[in-house]
Amino acid sequence: MITVFTPAYNRADLLPRLYDSLKAQTCKDFEWIVVDDGSTDGTEAVVRSFLEEGLLDIRYFRQENGGKHRAINRGVKEARGELFFIIDSDDYIKENAISSIINHYSLVSGDKTFAGVCAMKCYDNGKRIGGDVDFIQLECNLFRFRHILGIKGDISEICRTDILRDFPFPEIEGENFCPEAIVLYRISQVGYKFLYYNECISICEYIEGGLSDRITEIRIKSPVSSSLTYYELWNSPTTIKRRIRGAINFWRFYFHCAKDRRPSKRPCLIFKPIGYLLYIKDKR
């Protein structure tokens, strides 16, 4: 079974569209967990109405607002599925999405070096986010896929739940954001790979004012988590260019941290002045 997971924060108006796409699935071998991250717009009432219909296996949890990463940690803890599939509240999926995931995962489920499968996301016009790609299937880790092959665009990572339990998001007091990349970096660093397949299963909509729209501002407000993520990039088996980028941005957000909260693990000092200049630019 697959755990479909949705972190929800003030998206009561969008959840019905996602719910309709889940009801339309050709395969119903999934549960849907919704973690309400302290919404104030009636999200709970909307999800309760879904529960009353009794058409899907839905579980709803509400917690104080703490950011998407804390909601994911809660969802992973509660999950019953072998695979964990995150669908944001402003996205929805094609009717064959669950069956597609199951079919492709069956190709690698016996190999414990695979962390799961990854499918493509597209806009509502059918165009793949990040542009067209020329592969059918790829077996590789995140660093090869993103940094060596240079494939861009959001994708749907469907990861084994047991692995996500081993690699939870760090929860930094006072910070409500942690980049999802930090978990994927750590999973790939220890040797796990994914089966990437060129099929669109998720339809993505970028909402004005959402995370993607305000990412630099959000990272500055959560500098410890941002620094830790860029340290993982610096410390990863990727290209020299990407490692340098990781080191520079580590120092950039390091200076945004309170002095008593700055990470103890640090990359090469040679990149510190460049990071400081970016920090100054952020402050201005």
Side-chain angles (χ1 to χ4, degrees):
M1 185 169 68
I2 295 173
T3 293
V4 175
F5 170 76
T6 299
Y9 178 66
N10 289 346
R11 288 287 188 263
D13 58 330
L14 293 173
L15 282 170
R17 181 177 63 179
L18 172 54
Y19 176 57
D20 287 341
S21 75
L22 292 173
K23 289 193 295 182
Q25 291 302 298
T26 57
C27 174
K28 296 295 196 297
D29 192 14
F30 66 91
E31 65 172 351
W32 186 27
I33 291 179
V34 179
V35 172
D36 185 344
D37 191 34
S39 296
T40 58
D41 69 340
T43 289
E44 180 172 359
V46 170
V47 178
R48 296 292 180 195
S49 70
F50 302 158
L51 284 164
E52 289 173 3
E53 290 188 16
L55 299 177
L56 296 178
D57 180 3
I58 304 173
R59 290 192 291 148
Y60 171 80
F61 302 93
R62 180 178 173 84
Q63 61 187 31
E64 291 184 9
N65 179 252
K68 182 178 178 180
H69 63 297
R70 287 186 174 87
I72 294 174
N73 282 348
R74 175 69 182 276
V76 170
K77 179 181 177 182
E78 301 288 349
R80 297 170 181 163
E82 182 177 352
L83 295 175
F84 195 81
F85 178 20
I86 300 173
I87 308 176
D88 289 338
S89 54
D90 50 356
D91 297 347
Y92 60 101
I93 58 176
K94 293 187 175 181
E95 64 181 12
N96 68 331
I98 298 299
S99 61
S100 174
I101 292 168
I102 292 173
N103 290 338
H104 285 88
Y105 181 64
S106 68
L107 302 176
V108 299
S109 60
D111 188 339
K112 295 305 180 183
T113 65
F114 280 89
V117 298
C118 297
M120 303 300 109
K121 286 185 177 184
C122 62
Y123 300 107
D124 57 7
N125 62 6
K127 296 290 186 179
R128 179 187 176 271
I129 297 172
D132 294 334
V133 292
D134 59 2
F135 67 85
I136 298 175
Q137 292 182 4
L138 285 174
E139 297 179 5
C140 61
N141 66 23
L142 169 74
F143 301 117
R144 177 168 177 77
F145 183 81
R146 289 296 196 191
H147 303 163
I148 296 175
L149 298 178
I151 300 173
K152 299 179 181 179
D154 284 348
I155 59 174
S156 294
E157 293 101 355
I158 302 95
C159 194
R160 283 167 42 196
T161 306
D162 62 330
I163 293 177
L164 291 177
R165 288 190 176 125
D166 289 338
F167 294 91
F169 285 92
E171 298 186 9
I172 308 299
E173 184 179 354
E175 295 192 359
N176 280 14
F177 173 75
C178 183
E180 291 179 57
I182 192 171
V183 168
L184 295 172
Y185 288 161
R186 290 174 175 176
I187 288 173
S188 296
Q189 283 169 1
V190 297
Y192 286 112
K193 56 190 174 183
F194 289 90
L195 172 65
Y196 295 86
Y197 66 97
N198 187 15
E199 179 182 328
C200 176
I201 64 171
S202 302
I203 312 299
C204 185
E205 179 179 351
Y206 294 101
I207 303 299
E208 184 177 352
L211 287 179
S212 300
D213 199 37
R214 302 178 290 119
I215 192 62
T216 300
E217 172 193 347
I218 291 169
R219 285 175 175 163
I220 289 172
K221 291 181 178 179
S222 297
V224 177
S225 297
S226 299
S227 297
L228 291 173
T229 302
Y230 281 113
Y231 179 82
E232 296 293 340
L233 180 57
W234 156 257
N235 200 40
S236 66
T238 185
T239 63
I240 294 296
K241 180 179 178 180
R242 293 285 181 169
R243 293 190 68 208
I244 291 173
R245 178 184 174 187
I248 290 172
N249 279 290
F250 169 89
W251 289 113
R252 173 188 186 179
F253 293 104
Y254 171 90
F255 288 113
H256 282 288
C257 299
K259 290 185 178 180
D260 61 343
R261 304 187 69 191
R262 290 173 173 173
S264 57
K265 292 183 178 180
R266 303 165 188 175
C268 184
L269 290 171
I270 194 173
F271 302 109
K272 189 174 181 178
I274 306 174
Y276 183 74
L277 290 176
L278 289 175
Y279 160 75
I280 294 299
K281 180 182 177 182
D282 292 337
K283 298 293 284 185
R284 289 179 176 173

